[in-house]
Amino acid sequence: AQRVTQPEKLLSVFKGAPVELKCNYSYSGSPELFWYVQYSRQRLQLLLRHISRESIKGFTADLNKGETSFHLKKPFAQEEDSAMYYCALRSWSNYQLIWGAGTKLIIKP
Amino acid sequence: GAGVSQSPSNKVTEKGKDVELRCDPISGHTALYWYRQRLGQGLEFLIYFQGNSAPDKSGLPSDRFSAERTGESVSTLTIQRTQQEDSAVYLCASSLATSGGLQVEQYFGPGTRLTVT
């Protein structure tokens, strides 16, 4: 079964510290993986997708097929990074996104 | 340009009543999606429209849920005989048409918070 797991409901780190938001997936085949972010009082929006191999707002995420993980990382957290982060998976065979439960990231000053 | 809009933003209804939620996608987006998000949980796919047709309705939780889309624009999600477990945020998203394995970004609306008392 296709599944996305975000083990941490809440992650709190100090400003300037490294951040890693965990995402593990279950899928037989080659998935496409995404990170979406929702800032306070704003809409859910795409942060990055693994296929683009890009860095957005200092965040990167590497797909590790051996560990079936797609952890989101940032070397130096900033206060404006505080938000809800969702990991999502899409199979190549259809359009559906399978979502993790989300991690609330709090950056302490 | 205008993003995806949803109305109402909040809806409180009594158990057993019907509710209708509306979504206005971004102009030109032929694909439209409905999701449900219960408190503390991830998004749950409900239904997807490509144009006016819904190729996959398997995510609808029960026959009390239905959705339609007219004119490749507005979509309405109707929940009949609401139950307390229907309480959630209902999110709508739209995108350009998906084709083959090409993933296009989904743009989300602000959601409708439904509370069934």
Side-chain angles (χ1 to χ4, degrees), chain A residues 9 32 34 36 38 43-46 49 84 86 90 92 94-102, chain B residues 3-4 33 35 37 40-43 45 48 56 58 98 100-103 105-106 108-110:
Chain A
K9 286 193 176 229
E32 188 174 2
F34 304 82
Y36 277 78
Q38 188 167 26
R43 306 170 182 216
L44 195 59
Q45 58 186 288
L46 178 66
R49 66 191 94 186
M84 279 292 297
Y86 295 92
R90 175 185 178 270
W92 287 103
N94 63 49
Y95 48 82
Q96 280 195 38
L97 286 174
I98 310 297
W99 297 78
Chain B
V4 177
Y33 313 79
Y35 296 92
Q37 186 176 29
Q41 298 184 24
L43 277 69
F45 170 82
Y48 153 74
D56 186 351
S58 63
T98 58
L102 178 65
Q103 173 64 41
E105 181 178 348
Q106 294 184 18
F108 283 83

Side-chain angles (χ1 to χ4, degrees), chain A:
Chain A
Q2 299 173 9
R3 189 182 192 120
V4 175
T5 303
Q6 293 180 251
E8 303 141 328
K9 286 193 176 229
L10 175 66
L11 183 63
S12 181
V13 303
F14 283 103
K15 175 182 172 182
V19 170
E20 181 177 69
L21 296 155
K22 291 184 168 49
C23 172
N24 288 90
Y25 67 90
S26 170
Y27 179 70
S28 56
S30 292
E32 188 174 2
L33 285 146
F34 304 82
W35 277 99
Y36 277 78
V37 61
Q38 188 167 26
Y39 300 103
S40 179
R41 302 180 193 277
Q42 294 188 29
R43 306 170 182 216
L44 195 59
Q45 58 186 288
L46 178 66
L47 180 62
L48 55 80
R49 66 191 94 186
H50 93 268
I51 200 168
S52 303
R53 296 183 174 276
E54 55 200 346
S55 173
I56 303 292
K57 298 184 179 181
F59 284 97
T60 59
D62 291 318
L63 177 61
N64 186 322
K65 291 186 179 179
E67 295 183 359
T68 59
S69 69
F70 187 55
H71 302 329
L72 183 69
K73 300 177 184 179
K74 184 169 182 174
F76 307 104
Q78 299 174 343
E79 288 186 63
E80 55 264 32
D81 295 329
S82 295
M84 279 292 297
Y85 290 81
Y86 295 92
C87 182
L89 171 156
R90 175 185 178 270
S91 73
W92 287 103
S93 63
N94 63 49
Y95 48 82
Q96 280 195 38
L97 286 174
I98 310 297
W99 297 78
T103 298
K104 184 171 184 176
L105 177 64
I106 296 174
I107 307 301
K108 298 178 285 189

